[in-house]
Amino acid sequence: TANNDDSIMAVRGRIVSVEDHGCIVDLGGIASGRQAFLKFENVDGEYDVDDEDSDDEDNDAMDTDGAATKRILHPGRIYDFCILPSSATQSILQVSLPTLETLTKLRASPSMAPTISSLQPGMLAEVQVEAHAKNGMCVSFMKGVYRGALDEDHLGGHRGVDEGKKKHLDKESGDPTMWWKNVFKGKLAKFTARIIAVDTSTKIVRFSINHHILALNGEYAAFPHSVGTIIKNAQVIRVDAGIGALLALPGSEDAEEQHSEELRKLDKELSNNLFSNSDYRAATKVSTAYVHISKSMDNPDADSKKGKQTKNNNNRTPDALFARHFSINTRVKALRILATSNLIDGIASCATAKSIVDAHVLTHADIVPGKIYKDVPVVQLLDSGGVLVDLGIGTKGIIPATHLFDKASHGSLDAGGDLTISGYRQKIRQQKYKVGNKITVRCLTVDPAARQCVLTAKKTLLTNDIDDPIVEYPVAQDRVAAGFLSKVDDTGLTVTFYNNVHGRVTSRSLAAELGVEDPRQNYNVGDAIAARVLSCERRRN
């Protein structure tokens, strides 16, 4: 029960119903069976009222930019409320709905002495460091009543890239020095942290002082490198045996600090004063990426000389081999960012295996229509006459039979031909597109949702319009570009470029300019040709 202003605390609740003067709120077990009521006058900032049940998640309660915006009050909405001062005799708790700026400063007061079950993720609490552990710190809070921990990844920073290999090694154990041991001591051993996890059965409470979590602002968790970026000369700063390694990225300490002033201001408002320590300031500028053992290196057992399949946990890298190549302070030649969606820890996912680092693309979403991809391995010759290639780590693309050569096989589908590959072309196909051969291809179309990609190996398309392919409407008048014929009939030709951009050549213009009386006698589906754009008008069909 709250009795004074110092005891105001933030709790998470769900709006049950909207009444004439406010909303009934369910606070779960923290209210000990008592109902909570939110008066409209206790809502900070702008809001809209919707008294109908709705599961529509299209209207976000908060904009992702972290700034306060108009909130919607309707049944089912979940917000962080503040319990207002009340007496034990009142059957209904009074709550308020604070702004995000207010929430970032609210903390659980020791005078309330809540039970372990009433602690909720998102609460701020003042903690005291009791011990420095190898993987973080042990802390106490609520005047020593409860104990919790801060994981190494939630201390607000990481150890950066070292110039000397032995600079951070402990003489006795050989483990890296715990940089936080030199920061969180003395006056800095007491600070404000935010609860991120509570396990009532084991009485485990986890805290974080990562900037985006303290500020409740996802913008501060933005990773400086985009997915697919290749970064060289990173350094191993932590090894999790049999699992993976944490890498510090070079140059990240000099990255632009667009939120530095806001973070320093928040640090002072919470009275943490951690930015007064030079080691902590340096640690906050370090960006990190984690490589899982399965993506750390290409397993040599996967290509045995006699074609034997070695049973090794699905070609998993042996632990001993991983430990030898990823010891503390080892430099990694190159890594590739795979994901930056871990917003809680603020650590990117990466791969260091050469096959992944050198891959043209990671997923079908990375494939660009009109782009040329070189040294692409052939993985299968299809019965239909086409060729299947691998653009990178399992991202497949298909080259139809009509796109293996500049000129299509004799006969056209529209003219009744069967496009059967001739004996000579079949021989060339077996030699040039042998499984394992590396070829140059160009993307015609890609559908990331269906994970389908159509490619071409036509020499004309590979050597023309390299820097400026036609991939979208409109197209400049009098533009001359290379394309291929996707349809041939008595009315004319359909010329296709990239990304499903089509053009039409009428039989009348063919007869007037080239003397072609019947297009079906002179052209085949699949032929590569050059065409000049006379006019451009996008049509639905």
Side-chain angles (χ1 to χ4, degrees):
T1 300
N3 296 313
N4 53 65
D5 292 340
D6 293 334
S7 299
I8 294 178
M9 62 181 293
V11 295
R12 188 150 296 170
R14 180 178 63 88
I15 296 177
V16 177
S17 64
V18 178
E19 308 300 334
D20 294 338
H21 303 288
C23 305
I24 296 178
V25 179
D26 179 15
L27 299 179
I30 192 172
S32 302
R34 298 166 66 186
Q35 286 185 323
F37 189 76
L38 170 67
K39 294 181 180 179
F40 291 140
E41 61 190 58
N42 289 332
V43 178
D44 295 340
E46 298 182 357
Y47 65 91
D48 277 337
V49 177
D50 182 4
D51 57 0
E52 295 182 0
D53 289 322
S54 174
D55 293 329
D56 184 12
E57 296 181 358
D58 293 337
N59 297 321
D60 292 333
M62 286 283 187
D63 285 338
T64 55
D65 62 359
T69 185
K70 184 179 291 187
R71 289 165 291 184
I72 300 175
L73 304 180
H74 70 176
R77 280 288 186 184
I78 297 176
Y79 291 105
D80 288 326
F81 300 90
C82 285
I83 299 179
L84 299 177
S86 62
S87 64
T89 58
Q90 290 179 323
S91 59
I92 298 179
L93 290 174
Q94 296 294 322
V95 296
S96 66
L97 184 57
T99 61
L100 185 60
E101 183 179 1
T102 303
L103 277 175
T104 59
K105 303 172 186 177
L106 289 177
R107 66 191 75 185
S109 174
S111 62
M112 296 185 66
T115 61
I116 190 74
S117 60
S118 66
L119 295 175
Q120 293 186 332
M123 288 183 175
L124 283 176
E126 191 176 79
V127 301
Q128 174 72 46
V129 176
E130 290 194 339
H132 297 92
K134 181 180 178 181
N135 61 341
M137 298 187 302
C138 299
V139 298
S140 62
F141 61 104
M142 297 294 177
K143 294 184 176 180
V145 175
Y146 300 113
R147 284 174 172 77
L150 280 86
D151 187 80
E152 177 185 352
D153 295 331
H154 285 270
L155 298 178
H158 290 88
R159 177 168 66 90
V161 174
D162 297 333
E163 296 298 332
K165 291 186 176 180
K166 300 297 182 180
K167 181 178 179 180
H168 285 278
L169 293 183
D170 184 78
K171 295 181 180 179
E172 297 181 0
S173 64
D175 291 333
T177 298
M178 301 176 293
W179 65 269
W180 54 90
K181 193 173 183 181
N182 298 322
V183 175
F184 298 93
K185 61 182 181 179
K187 293 182 178 179
L188 299 183
K190 180 182 288 188
F191 53 90
T192 298
R194 193 177 297 279
I195 298 176
I196 58 174
V198 179
D199 188 338
T200 56
S201 59
T202 59
K203 296 184 178 180
I204 293 178
V205 181
R206 289 287 186 265
F207 288 89
S208 175
I209 55 173
N210 283 353
H211 308 135
H212 60 287
I213 293 179
L214 279 181
L216 295 178
N217 190 336
E219 271 194 355
Y220 298 162
F223 198 71
H225 305 285
S226 59
V227 173
T229 302
I230 297 176
I231 302 172
K232 297 182 179 180
N233 208 29
Q235 184 178 26
V236 178
I237 59 174
R238 189 181 78 213
V239 178
D240 301 323
I243 300 176
L246 184 67
L247 312 177
L249 308 184
S252 55
E253 293 187 12
D254 299 325
E256 182 180 358
E257 302 177 44
Q258 56 179 342
H259 302 297
S260 59
E261 290 302 320
E262 294 94 326
L263 295 176
R264 290 174 184 272
K265 182 179 178 181
L266 178 62
D267 184 62
K268 290 182 179 180
E269 289 176 346
L270 295 176
S271 300
N272 286 349
N273 297 321
L274 295 174
F275 278 84
S276 62
N277 185 283
S278 59
D279 289 341
Y280 185 80
R281 288 197 305 272
T284 60
K285 300 176 184 177
V286 178
S287 295
T288 55
Y290 196 89
V291 55
H292 189 266
I293 188 173
S294 63
K295 295 180 175 63
S296 60
M297 56 181 57
D298 296 319
N299 190 355
D301 290 338
D303 316 307
S304 54
K305 294 182 180 179
K306 297 183 179 181
K308 296 181 180 179
Q309 292 290 333
T310 305
K311 293 184 179 179
N312 185 29
N313 295 333
N314 297 324
N315 292 326
R316 171 191 171 96
T317 302
D319 292 354
L321 184 64
F322 177 79
R324 186 162 65 249
H325 287 81
F326 288 85
S327 59
I328 292 295
N329 285 329
T330 299
R331 295 281 181 159
V332 178
K333 290 184 178 179
L335 63 86
R336 192 170 191 173
I337 303 298
L338 300 181
T340 58
S341 56
N342 184 3
L343 299 182
I344 295 295
D345 294 337
I347 299 175
S349 233
C350 73
T352 55
K354 191 176 186 301
S355 61
I356 301 178
V357 174
D358 295 341
H360 293 287
V361 296
L362 300 178
T363 66
H364 283 82
D366 300 327
I367 302 175
V368 180
K371 184 174 181 178
I372 296 176
Y373 298 95
K374 299 181 179 180
D375 297 327
V376 177
V378 176
V379 296
Q380 185 180 355
L381 297 180
L382 304 177
D383 295 337
S384 62
V387 174
L388 194 67
V389 299
D390 187 356
L391 292 168
I393 56 175
T395 303
K396 303 293 194 302
I398 186 172
I399 308 174
T402 55
H403 280 276
L404 298 179
F405 307 96
D406 261 8
K407 294 290 288 183
S409 298
H410 183 69
S412 169
L413 289 176
D414 298 284
D418 57 4
L419 287 181
T420 302
I421 299 179
S422 65
Y424 174 74
R425 286 199 169 186
Q426 182 68 20
K427 183 178 179 180
I428 297 298
R429 174 176 174 266
Q430 294 287 351
Q431 295 175 353
K432 182 177 180 180
Y433 300 101
K434 181 181 178 180
V435 173
N437 285 3
K438 293 186 177 181
I439 61 176
T440 300
V441 296
R442 193 170 194 175
C443 176
L444 294 174
T445 61
V446 61
D447 184 351
R451 299 178 66 185
Q452 295 178 348
C453 176
V454 180
L455 306 165
T456 183
K458 290 180 180 293
K459 185 176 180 180
T460 298
L461 298 183
L462 292 176
T463 56
N464 287 276
D465 310 309
I466 296 176
D467 299 323
D468 187 24
I470 296 178
V471 294
E472 62 182 355
Y473 298 98
V475 182
Q477 189 173 349
D478 293 328
R479 165 80 184 273
V480 178
F484 65 94
L485 298 181
S486 56
K487 185 178 181 181
V488 178
D489 57 25
D490 56 356
T491 63
L493 311 174
T494 298
V495 184
T496 299
F497 300 98
Y498 305 96
N499 200 28
N500 288 322
V501 176
H502 305 280
R504 184 72 179 166
V505 182
T506 64
S507 57
R508 180 178 297 180
S509 63
L510 288 172
E513 296 178 11
L514 301 175
V516 175
E517 296 182 357
D518 187 355
R520 293 173 294 184
Q521 298 299 320
N522 298 81
Y523 300 96
N524 295 318
V525 170
D527 285 350
I529 64 170
R532 180 167 61 91
V533 178
L534 297 179
S535 61
C536 181
E537 179 183 351
R538 183 169 186 174
R539 297 179 180 177
R540 185 176 298 275
N541 295 322

